């Protein structure tokens, strides 16, 4: 006798032509007609009624001969290849031993030798016969079960041969293979080297309405198409499509109404992303010791930019879901689950490959789904100034000019200014788009000219909410934000136009949605429906009335989880029209050059701000910005303020507000050092941003675990570290700054201390590395090529470090956003720099500290560098 020992059954097979269930999916129905005995009211026909549940079971007792059996009659004679048995109570008390008999000519029963099962512990088990059996009747014989009672929820009969079954659920992909276990639609992704990219979930792969799939039927004519059914009869069509390195799984529930769809895989060790949901997790690695559900929502406060995109560097895998409502992601020691509610269909995408390929695919996927992809503008990589921390709602033209002038006179190269508060008519808001407050901004055009003459672009704070018409409106409570003194808000006359034109958000019944901010303005508002192209055109036209150089979007309305996409189009439209745009709200991609975290404080450098930076960048939006250096902590010198400055100086966006000019000269010098560093490296950071724009890969700020996916030590360094561009490792000291020391990790390769030029070979942990407040917290490695500037008028300068690099070419993008230059690096016995375009040999310098070669870099030129 051939026995099948089932502790766990490895599945790479499909449920095809199910004939035992009452609804007989793709097959001939079968029914239970006889049994050995019945316990209480749990009748034999329950075993083939299509319901897998405790209430609808056959509980069989032994006959007079001591045997427990269940006879199944098939509607017609068919070739049976397998059965699936659902047994037990909940997830326990399964039938542990059984075999199957087939009815042969003459009505006799013959045991199918390959069907014998012993030691089974699963409540859902499939047995594939070694050879298909042609019959019109089967008998399940139970040999071992708890309390001598066979608790059978359902028996399913399969009529396709094993080879066909296996092939139907083994999908060949360009990047590997997808194997599906029909029990719960569990699936795994395998690469071309037959290595598991992501394992199956232990219990289920697909849930609909909170219920795991129980039956999976593969379409024999359409590869990758399946019919699935839950235990209670919820049904859906599942389609798997592969293109390049992407696998897309589309689920279409058949029943009417809203259904929550969840697609699950097994545990992944390292994950980054999820926008603000990840940024507020408190962890750089989102996979922790317990399962955590990250819900995508805009709460009008700290969480206003969301993404379901998760990247898993060790697995060379990413996942994202764009569609549906109430989207969420679960990560933890047991699972990686994406979920969304839908009344139509929802598609889940898995992207496979190395990090650059994944991000390149994701960039294309964003475009295919209508998300903006904004070309960065160098103006916002310059130093900025914001009125909020300095002046709050009491901003006026003379105080703005006074503050900016003081900074510039002290050598701060301010190039943009946000006057986000206090310039509207008393009691109005920016979205009134009316005239400026005559007292605070008596001559806006002259004010703009004065700023522009100082090489400063004027930006305003802007929102997409409109106060209701009528009024004046009294705030819902007495709370006021910072130094706001207004007692009432004027009604917005434009709201009447928006209502009549249908430009505002409505609920499912067609009623206008009214929302009140907890912060500003704290009166009821309508929200611009950014999904309406006419509304976007109207809004963009209104913005032009201000005649400014750009905007800081800062809508503070809780729109919940279902309308995250109403911000992208109107704000990106302003950016496309030439404005310098700093975005805050939105989903999946940034609508401006900078993606801003809301007001963050000096204390946030220990946890929230750097984590938010890293997860924004991992989500595909690396041009990050938080707020002004030393936000409201500038009255006296603090080392934390300088550390705060270093954190921000190593990212795309940097701004000041309150002045440090009452500090000692030494303290002011420490404060200004990161400002100067950011100025010097502004062109380098912009080059990284342009490469991010072109490729999708987050060059401007690359989480170390993404930059070095093969290095497990890079995934979770003790301190926050990232790559800025292709050559600069950033490691600002943000934790335990009192000691002035940190554990700093250098991945594989050659690294030079930026200040001292000292050379290190990685991988290496620099234990208790000294990082005093005045030290540049950077190492040069990777491609080993930096580009800096000294003044606005001087040519940029390239610095080539003596590193053995795999790539011998380098392209640099100039701040004009159009020009490039290329460098070709050649090993030689001598040093030389050739402008190949002009055919001229150039002078160069060699750093006595690091041995780096430096020379002037001009746009539109090709260079050849020979080095030892």
């Amino acid at each position: 006798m051939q026995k099948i020992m089932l502790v766990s059954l490895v599945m790479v097979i499909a449920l095809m032509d199910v004939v035992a269930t009452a609804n007989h999916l793709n097959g001939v129905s079968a029914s239970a007609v006889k049994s050995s005995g019945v316990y209480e009211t749990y009748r034999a026909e329950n075993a083939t009624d299509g319901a897998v549940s405790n209430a609808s079971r056959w509980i069989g007792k032994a006959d007079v001969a001591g045997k427990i059996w269940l006879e199944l009659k098939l509607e017609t004679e068919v070739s049976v290849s397998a059965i699936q048995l659902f047994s037990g109570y909940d997830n326990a008390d399964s039938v542990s031993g059984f075999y199957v008999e087939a009815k042969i000519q003459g009505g006799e029963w013959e045991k199918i030798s390959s069907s014998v099962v012993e030691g089974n512990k699963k409540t859902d088990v499939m047995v594939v016969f070694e050879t298909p059996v042609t019959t019109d009747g089967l008998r399940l014989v139970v040999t071992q079960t708890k309390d001598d009672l066979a608790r059978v929820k359902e028996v399913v009969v399969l009529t396709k041969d094993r080879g066909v079954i296996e092939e139907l659920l083994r999908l060949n992909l360009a990047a590997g293979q997808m194997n599906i276990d029909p029990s719960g639609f569990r699936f795994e992704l395998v690469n071309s080297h037959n290595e598991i990219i992501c394992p199956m979930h232990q219990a289920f792969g697909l849930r609909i309405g909170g219920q795991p799939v129980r039956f999976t039927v593969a379409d024999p004519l359409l590869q990758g198409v399946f019919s699935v059914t839950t235990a209670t009869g919820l049904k859906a069509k599942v389609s798997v499509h592969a293109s390049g390195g992407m696998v897309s799984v589309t689920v279409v529930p058949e029943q009417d109404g809203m259904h929550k769809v969840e697609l699950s895989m097994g545990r992944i060790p390292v994950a980054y992303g999820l926008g603000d949901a990840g940024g507020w997790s408190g962890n750089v690695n989102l996979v922790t010791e317990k399962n955590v559900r990250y819900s995508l929502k805009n709460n009008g406060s700290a969480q206003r930019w969301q993404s379901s995109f998760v990247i898993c560097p060790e697995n060379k895998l990413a996942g994202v879901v764009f569609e549906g409502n109430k989207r969420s992601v679960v990560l933890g020691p047991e699972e990686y689950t994406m979920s969304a509610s839908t009344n139509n269909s929802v598609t889940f995408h898995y992207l496979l490959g190395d990090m650059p390929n994944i991000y390149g695919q994701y960039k294309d996927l964003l475009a295919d789904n209508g998300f903006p992809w904004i070309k960065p503008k160098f103006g916002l990589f310059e130093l900025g100034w914001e009125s909020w921390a300095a002046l709050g709602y009491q901003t006026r033209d003379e105080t703005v000019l006074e503050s900016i002038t003081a900074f510039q006179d002290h050598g701060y190269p301010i190039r943009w200014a946000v006057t986000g508060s206090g310039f509207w008519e008393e009691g109005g808001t920016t979205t009134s788009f009316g005239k400026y407050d005559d007292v605070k901004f008596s001559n806006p055009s002259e004010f703009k000219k004065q700023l522009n003459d100082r090489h400063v672009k004027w930006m305003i704070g802007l929102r997409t909410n409109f106060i209701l018409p009528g009024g004046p409106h009294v705030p819902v409570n007495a709370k006021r934000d910072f130094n706001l003194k207004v007692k009432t808000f004027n009604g917005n006359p434009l709201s009447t136009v928006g209502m009549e034109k249908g430009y505002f958000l409505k609920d499912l019944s067609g009623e206008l949605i009214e929302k009140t901010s907890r912060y500003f303005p704290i009166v009821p508002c309508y929200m611009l429906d950014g999904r309406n192209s006419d509304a976007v055109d109207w809004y963009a036209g209104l913005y032009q009335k201000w005649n400014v150089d750009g905007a800081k979007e800062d809508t503070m309305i809780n729109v919940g989880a279902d309308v995250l996409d109403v911000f992208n189009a109107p704000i990106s439209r302003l950016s496309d029209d030439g404005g310098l745009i700093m975005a805050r709200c939105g989903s999946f991609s940034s609508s401006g050059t900078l993606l801003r975290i809301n007001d963050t404080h000096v204390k946030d450098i220990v946890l929230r701000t750097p984590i938010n930076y890293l997860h924004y960048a991992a989500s595909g939006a690396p041009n990050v910005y938080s707020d002004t250096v030393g936000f409201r902590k500038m009255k006296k010198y603090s080392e934390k303020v300088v550390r705060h400055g270093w954190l921000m100086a190593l990212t795309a966006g940097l701004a000041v507000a309150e002045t440090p000019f009452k500090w000692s000269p030494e303290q002011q010098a420490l404060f200004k050092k990161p400002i100067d560093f950011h100025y010097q490296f502004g062109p380098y950071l912009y080059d990284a941003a342009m490469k991010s724009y072109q490729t999708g890969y987050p060059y401007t700020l690359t989480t170390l675990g993404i930059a070095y996916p093969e290095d497990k030590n890079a995934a979770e360094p003790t301190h926050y570290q990232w790559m800025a561009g292709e050559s600069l490792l950033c490691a600002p000291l943000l934790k335990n700054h009192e000691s002035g020391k940190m554990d700093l990790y250098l991945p594989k390769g050659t690294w030079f201390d930026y200040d001292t030029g000292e050379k290190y070979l990685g991988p290496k942990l620099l234990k208790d590395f000294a990082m005093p407040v005045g030290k540049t917290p950077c190492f040069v490695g990777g491609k080993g090529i930096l580009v800096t500037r000294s003044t606005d008028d001087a040519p940029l300068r390239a610095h080539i470090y003596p590193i053995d690099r795999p790539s011998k070419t380098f392209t640099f993008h100039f701040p004009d956003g159009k020009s490039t230059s290329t460098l070709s690096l050649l090993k030689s016995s001598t040093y030389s720099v050739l402008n190949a375009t002009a055919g001229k040999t150039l002078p160069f310098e060699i750093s006595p500290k690091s041995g780096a070669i430096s020379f002037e870099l001009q746009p539109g030129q090709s260079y050849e560098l020979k080095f030892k």
Side-chain angles (χ1 to χ4, degrees):
M1 178 185 296
Q2 182 181 0
K3 296 182 180 180
I4 304 175
M5 303 300 293
L6 290 178
V7 176
S8 64
L9 181 62
V10 178
M11 299 282 198
V12 194
I13 52 181
L15 279 163
M16 270 304 303
D17 296 343
V18 179
V19 299
T21 59
N23 52 15
H24 56 89
L25 297 172
N26 294 335
V28 182
S29 66
S31 57
V33 293
K34 295 180 182 179
S35 68
S36 55
V38 174
Y39 174 75
E40 294 184 352
T41 60
Y42 294 93
R43 302 173 299 173
E45 51 264 40
N46 290 349
T48 56
D49 64 359
V52 182
S53 68
N54 293 328
S56 178
R57 290 179 295 170
W58 165 61
I59 300 183
K61 299 195 303 184
D63 60 14
V64 292
K67 291 186 175 182
I68 304 176
W69 51 269
L70 176 72
E71 183 178 333
L72 305 177
K73 178 176 172 51
L74 308 185
E75 187 178 41
T76 185
E77 190 173 76
V78 292
S79 178
V80 179
S81 60
I83 71 159
Q84 186 170 19
L85 176 65
F86 299 88
S87 67
Y89 180 82
D90 289 340
N91 293 317
D93 301 340
S94 60
V95 171
S96 53
F98 64 91
Y99 60 86
V100 180
E101 295 178 329
K103 183 179 287 188
I104 60 176
Q105 288 185 349
E108 299 297 322
W109 295 99
E110 183 176 283
K111 180 188 290 186
I112 302 172
S113 62
S114 58
S115 72
V116 179
V117 173
E118 294 179 356
N120 173 50
K121 296 181 180 180
K122 297 179 66 175
T123 56
D124 175 359
V125 62
M126 182 182 291
V127 179
V128 180
F129 307 152
E130 190 171 296
T131 303
V133 177
T134 301
T135 183
D136 63 358
L138 296 174
R139 188 160 66 176
L140 173 71
V141 181
V142 177
T143 58
Q144 187 177 6
T145 187
K146 182 181 178 182
D147 301 326
D148 293 325
L149 294 175
R151 300 165 178 83
V152 175
K153 299 175 183 175
E154 196 76 14
V155 182
V156 180
V157 178
L158 310 174
T159 63
K160 288 294 181 183
D161 66 74
R162 181 169 186 153
V164 172
I165 291 174
E166 291 178 347
E167 188 59 33
L168 285 168
L169 261 73
R170 184 186 294 115
L171 303 181
N172 293 319
L173 313 174
Q177 183 174 294
M178 183 177 185
N179 299 327
I180 301 173
D181 174 351
S183 175
F185 198 82
R186 298 165 64 234
F187 62 98
E188 66 184 6
L189 296 171
V190 180
N191 65 20
S192 57
H193 302 292
N194 205 33
E195 300 167 332
I196 295 176
I197 297 171
C198 198
M200 294 182 180
H201 190 278
Q202 292 183 356
F204 45 76
L206 175 61
R207 285 178 290 183
I208 303 170
Q211 304 173 31
V213 163
R214 286 299 187 191
F215 302 107
T216 301
V217 180
D219 191 311
L221 301 177
L222 299 173
Q223 187 181 33
V225 177
F226 311 92
S227 295
V228 299
T229 308
T230 70
T232 58
L234 289 176
K235 301 177 184 178
K237 184 73 72 176
V238 180
S239 302
V240 179
H241 174 72
S243 176
M246 182 170 66
V247 179
S248 300
V249 181
T250 300
V251 182
V252 185
E254 292 187 10
Q255 282 84 355
D256 293 335
M258 189 69 69
H259 298 279
K260 183 178 182 181
V261 180
E262 300 170 273
L263 203 62
S264 300
M265 302 181 79
R267 180 184 184 272
I268 51 179
V270 177
Y272 311 110
L274 298 180
D276 277 326
W280 275 87
S281 67
N283 299 292
V284 175
N285 181 6
L286 296 174
V287 181
T288 59
E289 295 180 355
K290 64 178 181 179
N291 284 355
V292 178
R293 182 175 296 277
Y294 299 94
S295 299
L296 275 60
K297 59 187 177 183
N298 183 321
N299 63 8
S301 178
Q303 298 198 35
R304 287 186 268 168
W305 187 79
Q306 299 290 13
S307 173
S308 65
F309 181 80
V310 169
I311 190 157
C312 317
E314 286 192 24
N315 301 74
K316 297 182 179 179
L317 168 79
V320 68
V321 55
F322 297 113
E323 302 163 331
N325 298 335
K326 295 179 174 58
R327 287 156 289 183
S328 66
V329 173
V330 175
L331 292 167
E334 299 175 358
E335 66 180 283
Y336 165 32
T337 295
M338 292 187 284
S339 71
S341 295
T342 182
N343 58 3
N344 186 9
S345 68
V346 59
T347 299
F348 303 89
H349 304 279
Y350 295 101
L351 297 86
L352 318 177
D354 61 26
M355 297 297 98
N357 283 334
I358 285 177
Y359 278 107
Q361 293 178 85
Y362 184 50
K363 174 180 178 289
D364 294 340
L365 193 58
L366 285 169
D368 291 343
N369 284 271
F371 290 96
W373 196 252
I374 302 300
K375 183 178 179 178
K377 298 178 176 66
F378 181 66
L380 284 177
F381 284 72
E382 299 275 25
L383 180 65
W385 177 92
E386 288 209 47
S387 66
W388 174 238
L391 305 170
Y393 292 98
Q394 307 311 310
T395 300
R396 54 200 318 120
D397 49 14
E398 60 187 45
T399 56
V400 171
L401 286 169
E402 180 182 332
S403 180
I404 291 175
T405 300
F407 272 110
Q408 290 186 331
D409 288 348
H410 282 80
Y412 287 75
I414 291 173
R415 296 291 182 265
W416 55 265
V418 173
T419 57
S421 307
F423 64 92
W424 45 77
E425 289 182 280
E426 186 66 28
T429 66
T430 50
T431 47
S432 298
F433 293 105
K435 70 185 185 70
Y436 295 86
D437 187 310
D438 287 338
V439 175
K440 295 180 179 178
F441 286 82
S442 58
N443 192 335
S445 59
E446 176 61 25
F447 174 72
K448 178 186 177 184
K449 181 179 183 302
Q450 288 178 299
L451 287 178
N452 290 173
D453 287 345
R454 288 187 161 272
H455 307 290
V456 177
K457 299 294 186 179
W458 184 18
M459 301 167 63
I460 62 169
L462 194 60
R463 295 172 167 85
T464 59
N465 53 293
F466 289 70
I467 294 176
L468 271 57
H473 300 282
V474 179
V476 295
N477 57 54
K479 181 180 179 180
R480 297 293 182 272
D481 191 7
F482 197 26
N483 55 16
L484 177 62
K485 297 178 180 180
V486 64
K487 295 182 179 180
T488 61
F489 288 87
N490 296 332
N492 192 340
L494 291 171
S495 294
T496 302
V497 178
M499 291 168 56
E500 293 173 349
K501 297 287 187 179
Y503 293 159
F504 298 141
L505 278 178
K506 296 180 180 179
D507 61 22
L508 294 177
S509 66
E511 294 294 320
L512 282 167
I513 296 173
E514 295 183 14
K515 294 282 187 178
T516 300
S517 172
R518 289 189 297 159
Y519 305 100
F520 180 86
I522 41 183
V523 293
C525 296
Y526 297 135
M527 285 294 302
L528 185 77
D529 188 351
R531 301 166 297 189
N532 181 333
S533 60
D534 291 335
V536 172
D537 291 341
W538 176 65
Y539 184 81
L542 292 173
Y543 163 79
Q544 295 301 326
K545 290 185 176 183
W546 287 114
N547 189 30
V548 291
D549 299 309
K552 167 189 173 182
E553 184 274 318
D554 194 28
T555 308
M556 304 178 77
I557 299 289
N558 183 348
V559 297
D562 297 335
V563 288
L564 301 178
D565 56 347
V566 297
F567 302 98
N568 293 352
I571 303 306
S572 64
R573 171 66 175 275
L574 306 185
S575 194
D576 288 338
D577 287 347
L580 294 179
I581 301 300
M582 181 193 302
R584 176 63 186 104
C585 296
S587 56
F588 294 99
S589 69
S590 175
S591 300
T593 290
L594 297 182
L595 180 59
R596 172 183 173 263
I597 306 169
N598 57 290
D599 306 336
T600 56
H601 301 268
V602 175
K603 62 183 172 71
D604 295 325
I605 65 173
V606 177
L607 192 65
R608 187 260 171 121
T609 306
I611 291 175
N612 231 138
Y613 283 163
L614 294 167
H615 288 304
Y616 272 12
S619 301
N623 301 335
V624 301
Y625 171 78
S626 54
D627 220 299
T628 54
V629 178
F631 188 75
R632 296 190 187 171
K633 291 291 182 182
M634 294 287 292
K635 289 185 178 180
K636 60 180 181 179
Y637 171 80
S638 166
E639 183 178 308
K640 282 187 177 180
V641 168
V642 180
R643 300 287 186 187
H644 187 219
W646 276 118
L647 169 63
M648 299 177 66
L650 302 176
T651 67
L654 179 67
V656 292
E658 306 130 293
T659 69
F661 305 138
K662 293 183 180 180
W663 300 355
S664 72
E666 294 78 15
Q667 292 167 343
Q668 290 187 52
L670 286 172
F671 179 81
K672 193 167 182 289
K673 189 168 183 179
I675 309 291
D676 291 339
F677 180 87
H678 187 270
Y679 174 82
Q680 293 163 11
F681 280 85
Y684 171 84
L685 290 170
Y686 181 74
D687 168 70
M690 282 296 294
K691 288 170 179 170
S692 300
Y693 168 72
Q694 292 170 342
T695 68
Y697 185 83
Y699 283 106
T700 322
L701 193 159
T702 314
T703 303
L704 208 59
I706 294 173
Y708 295 89
E710 308 295 337
D711 187 345
K712 293 185 178 181
N713 292 319
E716 292 186 84
T718 304
H719 290 260
Y720 304 114
Q721 296 182 217
W722 62 87
M723 292 295 296
E726 300 170 278
S727 305
L728 201 64
L729 187 152
C730 303
L733 175 58
L734 305 175
K735 304 176 183 178
N736 306 318
H737 68 276
E738 294 86 357
S739 70
K741 296 181 179 180
M742 63 187 296
D743 291 346
L744 194 153
Y745 182 71
L746 300 176
K748 183 179 179 181
T750 302
W751 300 94
F752 292 88
D753 184 310
Y754 180 78
D755 283 346
T756 68
E758 185 174 351
K759 180 179 177 180
Y760 297 87
L761 294 179
K764 186 178 183 64
L765 177 66
L766 303 181
K767 192 77 173 171
D768 292 328
F769 185 82
M771 192 68 74
V773 68
K775 179 174 175 55
T776 306
C778 295
F779 283 73
V780 182
K783 280 200 170 182
I785 299 175
L786 303 179
V787 177
T788 62
R789 65 176 170 179
S790 55
T791 66
D792 290 347
D793 300 326
L796 302 183
R797 198 162 187 88
H799 307 262
I800 316 299
Y801 282 71
I803 289 174
D804 186 15
R805 50 186 67 80
S807 175
K808 306 302 181 184
T809 60
F810 179 82
T811 299
F812 178 78
H813 299 80
F814 283 80
D816 62 8
K818 300 175 182 179
S819 305
T820 61
S821 285
T822 59
L823 284 70
S824 298
L825 308 178
L826 307 170
K827 280 281 190 180
S828 175
S829 58
T830 60
Y831 293 106
S832 67
V833 178
L834 173 69
N835 182 330
T837 303
K840 294 181 179 180
T841 301
L842 301 180
F844 59 88
E845 296 177 1
I846 300 179
S847 168
K849 295 180 179 179
S850 64
I853 299 174
S854 64
F855 56 92
E856 290 184 359
L857 195 67
Q858 298 287 349
Q861 306 295 294
S862 296
Y863 298 88
E864 292 181 0
L865 170 66
K866 293 182 179 180
F867 62 98
K868 295 181 181 180

